[in-house]
């Protein structure tokens, strides 16, 4: 089985400091992989590198291939054609991911029109359908609303709807539920699973919450200070961790043990 | 990048004005007030680098001493505005309620009253002078400081460190002095710089209208006024003080912008 | 020891209401009202660790402000050591300030960026002589290096900043510590360390702790008693093992079911 995403020897540096060092992994089509680690471990930077959204001052070397195409160092025009279509991303803070001055329905519709040739009316109708797919109540009404009129959970559903708009082959989620209440988190996680499940998309899920990763992913990569220290099936890595760092993470997460 | 460019360019221009003003205390090429009919309307020469005016006075020397007037007016006007406006804004922001309402409505009232009109009225009553111009500009600028200070105060008051200070039993005065003032000082500084630019412009306008600095004290606005009859003959006399005013205003505005970027709280979070 | 909480309660809250008035949305209609708290009652026994769990909008932050005397209730009573605090003006709450302290959530926003750490920590002490001696003691108690006092908040990590915040709260030797989401902005590893530190300090100084959080697992780990809040009301309260073991209210059950659990996920049915 050929991999959908192959990251090989990824190294991110800024000035003299190395932020991510020799990170290699692959994600097969439809596979759900978790990337865990404490803050500052380089989780989010790795995701940014895959999306081609690294800050200017960071230099990347190594290789990131999606379906055989090299993404690292690819021209911005080529990347922007991929973003939103083949790879989509859901960020932690839903408020900043949405344009405050644009109605929600139009934002979802624009995301579709960016990569597909459909007229405005059809896109808007499809947007309402998509809002319904992420189980927003009264999707027609929500489509006419502005982001600030929605709750945090509703906003994250809209962001998810935008990410799923073009049925991406790979969905990257960076701490998508950290800012949300537990009951809302559970529903968003279900939606993410359903969203990638329906279309056979792959998932790269970044979080510091081991319980979340255990309930969402099949395989997990443990990142410590920019290096992958352990990887494997979720049950194996979190059930019987071998690396000291994974053990510490686990002990800290299951508070009963500490 | 662009942020530091603003700051540096502003600082250089402002620094130049300050330097020229300081030097003028000790030295000017000629006596700026010395009238010499034989030298009337001389163009730039090696001795008179910017030429002379219609009374034969050295333009370069007048310009240097004029910088003094400009800064003097700016410092006093902005000083009045900052010293009155900042505490008013802090009180309004911290107390809230009717006091806030009162201060801000009076503020609106003053804001709606043109500074130039106020200066002309003061000048009519007390006689036009640099002092009336400074006071008028200062009073008219109080509202801008009160607004900025109030907005900053509201923001600081909503932080958890102020809650912690209150939970620690600190008085309002302590919180105002230790938390609010230091944290809004950046905003006040930015406002000072921007207001300085406005004050420079207002002083020039007032002197031009004859309600500011009285002769013979050199002032850029008065140089401009005296030049207007000769505008067709000798545009140099208008262009020189005009350029000085423009550069000084630009300098203070750039400095204000640069400082604003510097004190942007979003940048402060980053380490 | 908490068999008879009534007689030994430090904090006692009776039928507490707090209503906020929103700015007008229309020119002529009445100003909309938001009921942040709707008839909340509970007692915190001396020496207990009382948890308050709720999601956003449950009213828990409003409750913290009221307990700390930073805001006034619209109706109801709050007593501290038998003294009503809801009727006193802020300047007469001096006794409360030294006996009840708050640790806030945001380790960045709760420290004044322009003050040195030693001034931050000694803030509740005023100009007391020997306050810097006390700062040294406190830095040691929260496991920060002695030279930390000379530095500024931005020179510390999130976890260290929360330690500074805790040191400040302990400075006036309070009997009650109110912790408002003290670990929710922190990383897992740091979170565990801060929770351990809090547990240590509560024991060492025989503190009563009111611990407010949205995280059920954390409250379960830290507290012995818990109150579950939803939309301004306490829907269920009691000893932690009863509430978590046999939740009576549907909302409590929903909360517990929604919280992701590592052991459940790992022992669940193998997926295809």
């Amino acid at each position: 089985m050929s991999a959908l995403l192959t990251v090989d020897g990824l190294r991110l540096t800024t000035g003299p400091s190395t932020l991510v060092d020799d990170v290699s992994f692959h994600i097969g089509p439809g596979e759900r992989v978790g990337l865990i680690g404490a803050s500052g471990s380089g989780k989010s930077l790795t995701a940014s590198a895959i999306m081609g959204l690294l800050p200017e001052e960071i230099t990347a070397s190594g290789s990131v291939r999606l379906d055989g195409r090299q993404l690292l160092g690819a021209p911005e025009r080529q990347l922007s054609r991929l973003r939103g279509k083949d790879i989509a991303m859901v960020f932690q803070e839903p408020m900043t991911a949405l344009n405050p001055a644009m109605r929600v329905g139009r934002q979802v519709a624009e995301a579709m029109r960016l990569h597909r040739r459909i007229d405005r009316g059809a896109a808007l109708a499809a947007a309402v359908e998509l809002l319904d797919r992420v189980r927003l109540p009264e999707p027609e009404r929500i489509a006419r609303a502005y982001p600030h009129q929605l709750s945090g959970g509703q906003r994250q559903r809209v962001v998810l709807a935008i990410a799923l708009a073009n049925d991406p082959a790979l969905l990257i989620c960076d701490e998508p539920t950290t800012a949300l209440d537990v009951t809302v988190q559970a529903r968003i996680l279900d939606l993410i699973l359903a969203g990638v499940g329906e279309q056979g998309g792959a998932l790269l899920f970044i979080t510091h919450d081991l319980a979340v990763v255990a309930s969402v992913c099949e395989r997990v990569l443990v990142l410590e200070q920019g290096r992958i220290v352990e990887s494997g099936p979720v049950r194996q890595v979190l059930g019987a961790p071998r690396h000291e760092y994974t053990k510490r993470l686990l002990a800290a997460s299951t508070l009963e043990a500490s | 990048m662009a942020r530091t460019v603003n700051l540096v360019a502003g600082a250089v221009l402002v620094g130049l004005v300050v330097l020229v003003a300081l030097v003028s205390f000790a030295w000017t090429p000629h006596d700026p007030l010395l009238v010499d009919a034989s030298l009337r309307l001389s163009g730039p020469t090696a001795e008179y680098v910017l030429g002379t005016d219609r009374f034969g006075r050295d333009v370069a020397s007048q310009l240097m001493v004029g910088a003094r007037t400009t800064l003097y007016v700016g410092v006093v006007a902005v000083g009045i505005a900052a010293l009155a406006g900042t505490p008013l804004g802090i009180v309004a922001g911290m107390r809230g309620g009717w006091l806030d309402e009162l201060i801000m409505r009076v503020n609106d009232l003053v804001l709606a009253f043109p500074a130039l009109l106020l200066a002309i009225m003061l000048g009519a009553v007390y006689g036009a002078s640099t002092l009336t111009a400074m006071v008028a500009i200062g009073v008219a600028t109080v509202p801008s400081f009160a607004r900025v200070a109030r907005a900053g105060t509201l923001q600081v008051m909503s932080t958890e460190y102020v809650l912690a200070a209150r939970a620690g039993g600190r008085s309002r005065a302590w919180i105002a002095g230790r938390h609010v003032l230091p944290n809004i000082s950046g905003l006040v500084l930015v406002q000072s710089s921007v207001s300085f630019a406005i004050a420079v412009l207002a002083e020039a306008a007032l002197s031009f209208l004859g309600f500011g600095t009285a002769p013979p004290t050199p002032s850029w606005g008065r140089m401009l006024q005296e030049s207007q009859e000769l505008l067709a003959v000798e545009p140099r006399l208008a262009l020189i003080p005009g350029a000085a005013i423009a550069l000084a205003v630009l300098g203070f505005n750039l400095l204000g912008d640069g400082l604003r970027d510097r004190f942007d709280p979003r940048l402060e979070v980053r380490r | 020891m908490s068999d008879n909480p009534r007689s030994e309660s430090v904090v006692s809250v009776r039928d507490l209401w707090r209503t906020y008035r929103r700015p007008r949305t229309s020119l002529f209609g009445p100003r909309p009202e938001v009921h942040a708290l709707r008839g909340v009652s509970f007692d915190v026994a001396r020496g207990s660790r009382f948890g308050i769990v709720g999601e956003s909008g449950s009213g828990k932050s409003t409750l913290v402000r009221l307990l700390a005397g930073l805001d006034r209730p619209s109706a109801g009573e709050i007593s501290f050591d038998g003294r009503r605090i809801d009727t006193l003006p802020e300047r007469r709450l001096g006794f409360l300030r030294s006996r009840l302290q708050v640790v806030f959530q945001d380790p960045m926003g709760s420290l004044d960026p322009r003050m040195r750490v030693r001034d931050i920590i000694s803030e509740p002490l005023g100009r007391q002589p020997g306050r810097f001696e006390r700062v040294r003691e406190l830095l040691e108690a929260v496991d920060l290096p002695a030279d930390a006092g000379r530095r500024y908040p931005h020179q510390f990590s999130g976890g260290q900043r929360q330690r500074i915040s805790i040191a400040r709260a302990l400075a006036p030797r309070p009997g009650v510590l109110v912790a408002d989401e003290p670990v929710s902005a922190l990383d897992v590893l740091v979170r565990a360390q801060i929770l351990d530190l809090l547990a240590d300090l509560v024991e060492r100084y025989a503190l009563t702790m009111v611990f407010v959080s949205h995280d059920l697992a954390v409250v379960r780990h830290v507290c012995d008693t818990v109150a579950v809040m939803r939309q301004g009301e306490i829907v269920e309260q009691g000893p932690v093992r009863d509430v978590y073991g046999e939740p009576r209210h549907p909302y409590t059950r929903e909360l517990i079911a929604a919280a992701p659990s590592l052991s459940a996920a790992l022992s669940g049915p193998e997926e295809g």
Side-chain angles (χ1 to χ4, degrees), chain A residues 32 38-39 181-183 185-187 208 210-212 214-215 234-235 245 248-250 252-255 258, chain C residues 55-56 187-189 191-192 195-196 214 217-218 221 254-255 258-262 265-266 268-271:
Chain A
R32 302 190 306 271
S39 61
D181 282 333
V182 249
T183 49
Q185 161 172 295
R187 284 173 218 138
H208 67 270
L210 301 198
V212 168
S215 44
V234 165
R235 265 158 210 271
Y245 182 70
R248 273 176 61 211
L249 271 181
L250 208 62
S253 300
T254 53
L255 288 164
S258 71
Chain C
E55 299 190 292
S56 52
D187 204 72
V188 251
L189 289 177
R191 186 184 72 170
L195 289 176
D196 285 348
H214 70 281
V218 169
H221 177 65
E254 192 192 339
L255 267 185
S261 150
L262 192 59
L266 292 178
E270 192 82 42
E271 279 184 67

Side-chain angles (χ1 to χ4, degrees), chain C:
Chain C
M1 103 193 138
S2 56
D3 286 337
N4 191 357
R6 210 36 97 78
S7 61
E8 257 290 76
S9 67
V10 196
V11 177
S12 173
V13 170
R14 287 289 165 275
D15 199 23
L16 203 61
W17 287 72
R18 180 68 174 97
T19 305
Y20 292 104
R21 305 185 98 195
R22 282 265 188 81
R24 262 170 225 289
T25 45
S26 74
L27 201 52
F28 301 107
R31 288 175 68 173
E33 291 190 338
V34 182
H35 301 285
L37 290 178
R38 304 192 285 186
V40 167
S41 302
F42 60 88
D43 287 284
V44 178
R46 191 178 303 283
S48 70
R49 298 183 305 269
F50 191 91
I52 297 173
V53 173
E55 299 190 292
S56 52
S58 61
K60 53 192 195 314
S61 310
T62 304
L63 188 55
V64 168
R65 283 166 171 254
L66 290 172
L67 289 179
L70 298 170
D71 187 15
R72 301 270 200 106
S74 310
E77 296 178 13
I78 310 172
S79 309
F80 183 87
D81 267 346
R83 275 174 85 177
R84 287 279 293 271
I85 59 165
D86 54 290
T87 49
L88 293 176
E90 204 168 318
R91 60 172 194 284
R92 291 190 47 200
L93 286 173
F95 74 97
L96 182 67
R97 302 307 184 208
S98 55
R99 293 199 230 161
L100 180 145
Q101 278 288 315
V102 189
V103 176
F104 291 96
Q105 170 180 1
D106 179 6
M108 193 64 217
S110 60
L111 307 176
D112 189 331
R114 290 176 208 280
M115 276 167 79
R116 284 178 201 280
V117 167
R118 60 160 182 254
D119 295 324
I120 291 174
I121 294 177
S122 65
E123 184 171 45
L125 300 176
R127 304 222 175 279
Q128 260 174 49
R131 62 186 185 280
F132 290 130
E133 186 48 43
R134 176 88 182 121
V135 168
R136 255 194 300 282
E137 262 171 55
L138 288 161
L139 284 174
E140 204 186 307
V142 298
D143 295 329
L144 282 174
D147 69 338
R150 283 197 304 274
R151 291 189 268 157
Y152 287 93
H154 71 88
Q155 295 170 291
F156 295 88
S157 69
Q160 289 173 318
R161 279 187 219 129
Q162 203 54 299
R163 288 172 194 267
I164 297 169
S165 201
I166 292 170
R168 168 179 59 193
L170 293 177
R173 303 179 199 277
V176 178
L177 196 63
V178 177
D180 184 7
E181 300 267 14
V183 294
S184 59
L186 303 175
D187 204 72
V188 251
L189 289 177
V190 182
R191 186 184 72 170
Q193 291 161 6
I194 296 291
L195 289 176
D196 285 348
L197 174 69
L198 277 173
D200 278 358
L201 294 171
V202 163
E203 193 153 314
R204 192 185 325 170
Y205 300 118
L207 298 171
T208 304
M209 180 155 73
V210 177
F211 191 99
V212 179
S213 178
H214 70 281
D215 192 328
L216 291 136
V218 169
V219 169
R220 180 182 206 164
H221 177 65
V222 172
C223 302
D224 51 38
T225 314
V226 63
V228 181
M229 287 189 75
R230 186 185 61 169
Q231 290 168 10
E233 291 174 309
I234 291 181
V235 298
E236 182 163 1
Q237 60 179 315
V240 160
R241 53 172 192 284
D242 294 358
V243 173
Y244 282 76
E246 290 168 53
R248 291 190 309 268
H249 196 276
Y251 179 68
T252 316
R253 276 183 229 133
E254 192 192 339
L255 267 185
I256 292 173
S261 150
L262 192 59
S263 49
L266 292 178
S267 63
E270 192 82 42
E271 279 184 67

Side-chain angles (χ1 to χ4, degrees), chain A residues 3-75:
Chain A
L4 172 72
L5 179 83
T6 312
V7 175
D8 198 17
L10 181 69
R11 194 180 141 89
L12 302 174
T13 54
T14 176
S17 51
T18 303
L19 306 167
V20 165
D21 196 8
D22 195 23
V23 162
S24 304
F25 64 92
H26 60 90
I27 301 178
E31 204 185 5
R32 302 190 306 271
V33 176
L35 189 55
I36 59 175
S39 61
S41 59
K43 305 183 300 257
S44 297
L45 276 178
T46 304
S48 302
I50 296 170
M51 290 293 287
L53 294 173
L54 281 175
E56 239 173 75
E57 64 270 20
I58 291 178
T59 357
S61 62
S63 119
V64 175
R65 281 194 310 269
L66 183 79
D67 255 344
R69 279 167 298 182
Q70 179 61 253
L71 301 186
L72 215 58

Side-chain angles (χ1 to χ4, degrees), chain A residues 109-120:
Chain A
E110 294 289 316
M112 275 188 262
R113 272 160 54 81
L114 206 60
H115 297 287
R116 265 190 257 170
R117 276 207 205 146
I118 42 172
D119 66 68
R120 259 221 158 100

